[in-house]
C-alpha cells in the first residue's frame, strides 16, 4: 500500500469511492482508494487511460466530493461547508488541469493575474519568472486561442504555481510537451519541491515519473506502489 | 487586462453591441414615447400657463371643453363691465377670439387679439422677425369707407360680408397674421409670404419665437368679422389681477351669469381630463416598452451566465468564493446596462433632435424624471436579472463543467 511513510501527511484520503451515472449506466471509478501524500513529497500517479486518475485528482483538490470515504488536508478533515473547501483551494492548492482550462477572453498573463487576484495575492514576480523559464515571455500577451497546446499547458502550470501553493496537483502537465520543454518543466517541479512544495503529478510518461520521489499506479479504482 | 467582466464584454463584440443596442432602444422608446406624448399633449397647456393673466372667463356651457373652445362666446361688453366694476381687483381684461386654422397640414389654435394685448399672450414685446399686425386704426378706416359706399340696406358688418371682394381687406392691411417659429419651420413660411386658409388670403407679417399661447395670431376684430359674424363677441377673456389680489377671492367676486371664471391652470386639468383615457393607452405602451427592455436585459444576462459556466468553474477551482463570482456577473451586467442606458439616452437625444427638425410641430419634452426612471429601470433590470444567474453561477459544478466541453 502507499501509506508506508505516513508520518506527516499533507493530504490523506481513506476509503475513497466515486462513481458516475445512475442505474445500469453507472461506473464506479474509485473503489475504496487510500492515499497519503507527505509534506514535501513529489508523487507521480500512473495508470491506463480512463482508470480514474483525473477523478482522483479532482477529489484531492476538493473540487468534487467523494461518494464515500474521507479526505484530510493538513491533518484536518475537508470541511463540509463549500466555503471551507474553497478557502483551501484558494490559499493552499494549485491545480493544473488535463485540459488546462484557461479563460479564453483573457491573455496568458491575465489568466495568471486573475488567479492571483481571486486568491487575494499580489504579484511578487514569480509569475514573470516562470513565464521566462518556461519560454513563454514572447507569448504572454496572447489569448489562449492564439497559443499552441504546449504553450497553453505551460501557462496553466504558471497559473497553478504563481501563488506558491503548498500542494500542486498536476494532471499530465507534460502530456503535450516536447522532451526539451518537458525537462524544463520537470526541473521547475523538482526545484519547487526542494523548496518544500508538495506535488502530485499524473503522468503517462515513465521518464516524467522518474522526476518524482515516489510512483504509484492506479488499477481497479485503487492505488498500488509502482514496482519497476 | 485582468478585469474579466470588461474583457468578456470587449471579447464578444457583436453580442455586446446587440445587447447594448437592445437595451438602448428600449430605454429610448420609453423616454421618447413618454416625452413625445406628454410633451405634445401638454405643450399647449405649458404655453397657456405662461400667459400673463390669472383668470379665464368663458361661457359656462363649454365647461371642460375649454381646451377645444373657439368662436363666439362672450360679449365684449362684459369685459368692459368687469373692468369698470372690479377695478380694485382687476388690472386688465383682454378679450380673445379663438379660431382654428389649417396651416402646414395641421389645424392650429389661432388667437385673435388686439395688437396692444399681444404681449400678454406671448410675453414678448414684438415678433422677433417682422412686425405685429397693423394697428386698429385701419379697421376704423375700413368701416368709414364701407359706410361711404352705397349699400341697399342692413348693418355695415353684414354689408361688409356681402361685399367683401378679394383684395378688399388686403388693401387695408388687415389680413395680416403673425405665426410662431415652429409653425414657420413646419410650413417653411417666411415673413412677407401669403398663405390661403379658411378661404382668405393672409399675409404673414411676423414670426415670433415659439412658446406663446397660440401658433397663429390674428387681429381680433378681423377674426371676429370673418369668423364670428360679429364685432361684439369674443371667445373668452383673460383677466390679469392687481398685484396681491387673491385669485380665489377674485374668482368669486367676478362670478357672473352664464360664464365660468376659472384659474388659467383650469386649462391643464381640463386637458388631462379630456385625454385621461388616452394616457392610459400611452402608459400601457410605455409599460410594454419598459417590459420588453427588461426582458431583453434578463435574457441577455441569462445567456451570458450560461456562456460563462466554464469560466466560472475555472474561477471556482482557483478558489473564487460565491461573493467574487456574483460580483463578476453583476459587474458584467452592470456594464452592459450602463452602456445600454447611455446609448438609450443618446438615442433619445437624437430622436428628439430629429423630431424637432423634421416634425417641428411635435413636442418632445425629455424630462429628468423619465431619464431617471429609465436609468433606474435599467439598473433594477440588471440587478434583478443577474441575481438568479449569479446565484446559479456560484453553484456551478466544477468537475462537470471542467471535464466536458
Ligand atoms: N463527469 C463524468 N460523468 C460520467 N463519467 C465520467 C465523468 N468523468 C469521468 N468519467 C468516467 O470515469 C472514468 C475515469 O475518468 P478519468 O477522467 O478520471 O480517467 P483518467 O484516468 O484521468 O483517464 P485519462 O488518462 O485518459 O485522462 C472514465 O471511464 C470516464 O469516462
Ligand atoms: Mg485524466
Amino acid at each position: 500500500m502507499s501509506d508506508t511513510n505516513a508520518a506527516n501527511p499533507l493530504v490523506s484520503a481513506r476509503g475513497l469511492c466515486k462513481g458516475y451515472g445512475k442505474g445500469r449506466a453507472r461506473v464506479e471509478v474509485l473503489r475504496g482508494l487510500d492515499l497519503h501524500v507527505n509534506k514535501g513529497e513529489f508523487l507521480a500517479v500512473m495508470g491506463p487511460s480512463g482508470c480514474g486518475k483525473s477523478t482522483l485528482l479532482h477529489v484531492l483538490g476538493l473540487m468534487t466530493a467523494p461518494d464515500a470515504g474521507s479526505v484530510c488536508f493538513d491533518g484536518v478533515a475537508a470541511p463540509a461547508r463549500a466555503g471551507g473547501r474553497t478557502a483551501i483551494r484558494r490559499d493552499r492548492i494549485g491545480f493544473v488541469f488535463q485540459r488546462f482550462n484557461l479563460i479564453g477572453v483573457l491573455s496568458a498573463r491575465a489568466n495568471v493575474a486573475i488567479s492571483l487576484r481571486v486568491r487575494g495575492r499580489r504579484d511578487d514576480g514569480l509569475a514573470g519568472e516562470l513565464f521566462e523559464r518556461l519560454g513563454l515571455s514572447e507569448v504572454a500577451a496572447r489569448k489562449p486561442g492564439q497559443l499552441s497546446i504546449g504553450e497553453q499547458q505551460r501557462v496553466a502550470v504558471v497559473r497553478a504555481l504563481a501563488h506558491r501553493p503548498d500542494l500542486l496537483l498536476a494532471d499530465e502537465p507534460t502530456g503535450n510537451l516536447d522532451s526539451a520543454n518537458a525537462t524544463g518543466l520537470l526541473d521547475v517541479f523538482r526545484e519547487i519541491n526542494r523548496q518544500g512544495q508538495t506535488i502530485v503529478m499524473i503522468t503517462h510518461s515513465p521518464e516524467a515519473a522518474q522526476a518524482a520521489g515516489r510512483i504509484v499506479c492506479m488499477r481497479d479504482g485503487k492505488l498500488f506502489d509502482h514496482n519497476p | 487586462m485582468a478585469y474579466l467582466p470588461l474583457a468578456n464584454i470587449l471579447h464578444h463584440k457583436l453580442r455586446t453591441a446587440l445587447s447594448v443596442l437592445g437595451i438602448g432602444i428600449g430605454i429610448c422608446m420609453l423616454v421618447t414615447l413618454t416625452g413625445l406624448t406628454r410633451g405634445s399633449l401638454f405643450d399647449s397647456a405649458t404655453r397657456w400657463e405662461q400667459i400673463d393673466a390669472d383668470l379665464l372667463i368663458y361661457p359656462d356651457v363649454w365647461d371642460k371643453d375649454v381646451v377645444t373652445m373657439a368662436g363666439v362666446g362672450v360679449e365684449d361688453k362684459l369685459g368692459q363691465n368687469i373692468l369698470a366694476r372690479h377695478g380694485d381687483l382687476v388690472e386688465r381684461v383682454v378679450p380673445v377670439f379663438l379660431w382654428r386654422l389649417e396651416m402646414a397640414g395641421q389645424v392650429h389654435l389661432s388667437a385673435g387679439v388686439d395688437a396692444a394685448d399681444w404681449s400678454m399672450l406671448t410675453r414678448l414685446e414684438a415678433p422677433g422677425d417682422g412686425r405685429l399686425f397693423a394697428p386698429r386704426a385701419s379697421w376704423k378706416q375700413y368701416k368709414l369707407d364701407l359706410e361711404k359706399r352705397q349699400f341697399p340696406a342692413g348693418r355695415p358688418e353684414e354689408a361688409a360680408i356681402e361685399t367683401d371682394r378679394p383684395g378688399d381687406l388686403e388693401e387695408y392691411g388687415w389680413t395680416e397674421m403673425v405665426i410662431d417659429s415652429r409653425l414657420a419651420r413646419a410650413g417653411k413660411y417666411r415673413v412677407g409670404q401669403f398663405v390661403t386658409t379658411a378661404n382668405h388670403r393672409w399675409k404673414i407679417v411676423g414670426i415670433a419665437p415659439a412658446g406663446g399661447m397660440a401658433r397663429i395670431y390674428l387681429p381680433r376684430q378681423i377674426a371676429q368679422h370673418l369668423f364670428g359674424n360679429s364685432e361684439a363677441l369674443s371667445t373668452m377673456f383673460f383677466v390679469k389681477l392687481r398685484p396681491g389680489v387673491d385669485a380665489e377671492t377674485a374668482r368669486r367676486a367676478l362670478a357672473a351669469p352664464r360664464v365660468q371664471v376659472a384659474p388659467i391652470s383650469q386649462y391643464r386639468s381640463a386637458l388631462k381630463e379630456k385625454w385621461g383615457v388616452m394616457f392610459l393607452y400611452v402608459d400601457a405602451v410605455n409599460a410594454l416598452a419598459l417590459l420588453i427592455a427588461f426582458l431583453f436585459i434578463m435574457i441577455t444576462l441569462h445567456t451570458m451566465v450560461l456562456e460563462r459556466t466554464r469560466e466560472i468553474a475555472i474561477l471556482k477551482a482557483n478558489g473564487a468564493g460565491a461573493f467574487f463570482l456574483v460580483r463578476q456577473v453583476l459587474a458584467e451586467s452592470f456594464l452592459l446596462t450602463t452602456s445600454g442606458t447611455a446609448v438609450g439616452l443618446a438615442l433619445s437625444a437624437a430622436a428628439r433632435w430629429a423630431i424637432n427638425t423634421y416634425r417641428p410641430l411635435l413636442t418632445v419634452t425629455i424630462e429628468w424624471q423619465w431619464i431617471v426612471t429609465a436609468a433606474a429601470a435599467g439598473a433594477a433590470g440588471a440587478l434583478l436579472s443577474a441575481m438568479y444567474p449569479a446565484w446559479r453561477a456560484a453553484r456551478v459544478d466544477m468537475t462537470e463543467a471542467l471535464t466536458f466541453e
Side-chain angles (χ1 to χ4, degrees):
Chain A
M1 290 297 292
S2 47
D3 59 347
T4 45
N5 193 7
N8 197 7
L10 180 62
V11 222
S12 55
R14 241 182 258 280
L16 286 189
C17 291
K18 176 86 182 171
Y20 297 104
K22 285 202 177 84
R24 300 249 310 270
R26 181 155 178 93
V27 281
E28 296 297 339
V29 180
L30 305 181
R31 306 177 190 183
L33 178 148
D34 294 322
L35 172 66
H36 300 278
V37 185
N38 289 334
K39 278 185 183 157
E41 201 177 358
F42 186 170
L43 176 74
V45 180
M46 300 187 74
S49 178
C51 72
K53 303 179 298 296
S54 295
T55 303
L56 170 65
L57 216 62
H58 277 96
V59 173
L60 294 181
L62 307 182
M63 289 202 274
T64 184
D67 298 333
S70 65
V71 179
C72 286
F73 193 93
D74 208 359
V76 186
R81 261 187 52 248
R85 292 198 301 274
T86 300
I88 295 175
R89 277 202 309 275
R90 180 181 63 224
D91 298 328
R92 310 198 59 181
I93 297 178
F95 204 103
V96 182
F97 290 93
Q98 190 168 7
R99 295 175 190 199
F100 330 134
N101 284 322
L102 298 173
I103 293 175
V105 298
L106 298 178
S107 68
R109 192 174 282 122
N111 261 281
V112 177
I114 198 173
S115 154
L116 283 173
R117 205 153 58 81
V118 161
R119 298 170 201 273
R121 302 288 181 91
R122 224 175 271 146
D123 182 0
D124 60 1
L126 177 59
E129 202 178 297
L130 286 171
F131 269 126
E132 185 121 0
R133 276 194 68 174
L134 296 177
L136 293 168
S137 305
E138 304 283 295
V139 299
R142 293 198 209 151
K143 289 178 183 170
Q146 303 155 332
L147 296 176
S148 77
I149 301 289
E151 285 164 345
Q152 290 181 44
Q153 185 154 43
R154 280 171 283 157
V155 173
V157 170
V158 177
R159 179 177 66 183
L161 288 178
H163 62 290
R164 304 177 195 271
D166 296 328
L167 174 65
L168 173 69
L169 300 171
D171 199 343
E172 291 192 43
T174 59
N176 298 284
L177 302 183
D178 59 67
S179 64
N181 270 309
T183 309
L185 187 85
L186 291 169
D187 283 346
V188 172
F189 278 17
R190 260 194 298 258
E191 195 177 309
I192 64 165
N193 178 241
R194 268 200 301 279
Q195 288 162 8
Q197 280 168 272
T198 307
I199 302 174
V200 177
M201 174 178 78
I202 292 172
T203 184
H204 283 291
S205 145
E207 295 87 61
Q210 289 312 313
R214 178 161 69 108
I215 304 173
V216 291
C217 269
M218 195 161 176
R219 210 179 328 116
D220 303 329
K222 291 196 175 80
L223 289 178
F224 299 91
D225 282 332
H226 180 68
N227 320 302
Chain B
M1 174 186 36
Y3 190 54
L4 192 53
L6 195 58
N8 268 321
I9 278 179
L10 295 179
H11 187 79
H12 303 95
K13 290 198 178 64
L14 184 64
R15 197 213 57 179
T16 299
L18 288 178
S19 321
V20 165
L21 199 66
I23 295 168
I25 287 173
I27 283 176
C28 170
M29 247 166 98
L30 182 72
V31 169
T32 309
L33 264 178
T34 49
L36 188 62
T37 48
R38 273 164 219 274
S40 288
L41 266 172
F42 288 130
D43 174 51
S44 60
T46 309
R47 290 188 282 119
W48 274 58
E49 278 160 2
Q50 61 77 46
I51 296 171
D52 188 21
D54 305 287
L55 299 174
L56 292 174
I57 299 180
Y58 59 95
D60 59 359
V61 289
W62 286 95
D63 195 29
K64 301 291 181 208
D65 284 331
V66 59
V67 291
T68 55
M69 203 156 80
V72 296
V74 288
E75 280 184 76
D76 291 351
K77 256 198 320 234
L78 176 66
Q80 290 147 22
N81 289 345
I82 287 172
L83 195 57
R85 277 207 295 144
H86 299 282
D88 52 331
L89 302 173
V90 174
E91 194 177 291
R92 278 169 87 191
V93 178
V94 169
V96 174
F97 185 89
L98 300 179
W99 196 249
R100 283 173 205 274
L101 293 181
E102 191 182 328
M103 277 179 80
Q106 209 172 314
V107 174
H108 306 275
L109 181 71
S110 46
V113 62
D114 293 334
D117 295 330
W118 185 75
S119 67
M120 180 194 249
L121 307 190
T122 57
R123 298 204 181 232
L124 296 167
E125 291 301 317
D129 189 7
R131 56 165 175 85
L132 210 48
F133 25 75
R136 290 170 66 175
S138 15
W139 173 250
K140 284 183 187 141
Q141 193 56 51
Y142 176 66
K143 288 218 287 192
L144 288 174
D145 289 358
L146 211 56
E147 276 159 16
K148 277 187 218 149
R149 294 188 199 170
Q150 293 301 307
F151 297 118
R155 293 173 299 155
E157 57 267 27
E158 282 173 7
I161 290 160
E162 285 164 25
T163 58
D164 244 9
R165 298 186 306 267
D168 236 22
L169 289 166
E170 267 167 46
E171 246 170 66
Y172 292 85
W174 298 328
T175 49
E176 294 176 344
M177 63 162 62
V178 171
I179 60 174
D180 85 350
S181 55
R182 283 168 69 171
L183 178 56
R185 248 190 308 142
K188 301 194 165 56
Y189 299 124
R190 299 270 171 275
V191 168
Q193 187 176 341
F194 285 92
V195 293
T196 303
T197 178
N199 290 325
H200 290 277
R201 266 182 96 213
W202 304 82
K203 184 179 185 183
I204 297 170
V205 295
I207 295 175
M213 174 205 166
R215 296 230 182 273
I216 304 170
Y217 304 95
L218 313 170
R220 182 172 63 96
Q221 288 180 315
I222 300 295
Q224 286 176 319
H225 171 69
L226 293 179
F227 308 123
N229 292 355
S230 151
E231 292 151 45
L233 294 168
S234 289
T235 310
M236 59 172 64
F237 299 115
F238 288 113
V239 178
K240 171 129 180 99
L241 299 174
R242 288 196 175 282
V245 173
D246 175 52
E248 184 54 28
T249 317
R251 202 179 67 78
R252 274 195 233 111
L254 299 189
R258 293 189 305 282
V259 293
Q260 193 151 330
V261 184
I264 294 264
S265 61
Q266 172 82 5
Y267 187 88
R268 186 179 287 266
S269 45
L271 202 64
K272 271 187 190 161
E273 211 163 300
K274 191 153 184 65
W275 297 105
V277 179
M278 190 178 142
F279 274 117
L280 213 64
Y281 295 123
V282 169
D283 287 343
V285 171
N286 287 337
L288 208 65
L290 192 63
L291 192 72
I292 290 170
F294 213 78
L295 280 178
F296 191 88
I297 297 176
M298 288 183 81
I299 291 166
T300 306
L301 295 183
H302 191 75
T303 47
M304 180 192 94
V305 172
L306 289 185
E307 267 174 20
R308 297 282 173 283
T309 307
R310 197 172 141 271
E311 200 166 87
I312 285 161
I314 294 170
L315 292 172
K316 246 178 118 168
N318 280 288
F323 181 65
F324 185 91
L325 297 175
V326 167
R327 228 175 48 201
Q328 301 301 303
V329 175
L330 285 182
E332 191 170 339
S333 62
F334 188 74
L335 281 175
L336 274 182
T337 41
T338 312
S339 11
T341 307
V343 165
L345 296 183
L347 284 178
S348 309
R352 187 183 133 125
W353 177 86
I355 289 168
N356 283 345
T357 308
Y358 299 108
R359 289 280 177 276
L361 294 173
L362 294 176
T363 304
V364 189
T365 44
I366 295 183
E367 287 165 25
W368 276 112
Q369 172 195 349
W370 291 110
I371 292 179
V372 169
T373 307
L383 196 69
L384 272 178
S385 46
M387 216 102 93
Y388 172 71
W391 177 79
R392 284 254 322 243
R395 295 173 57 93
V396 163
D397 184 283
M398 283 172 279
T399 317
E400 226 167 83
L402 295 180
T403 317
F404 302 106
E405 275 168 29

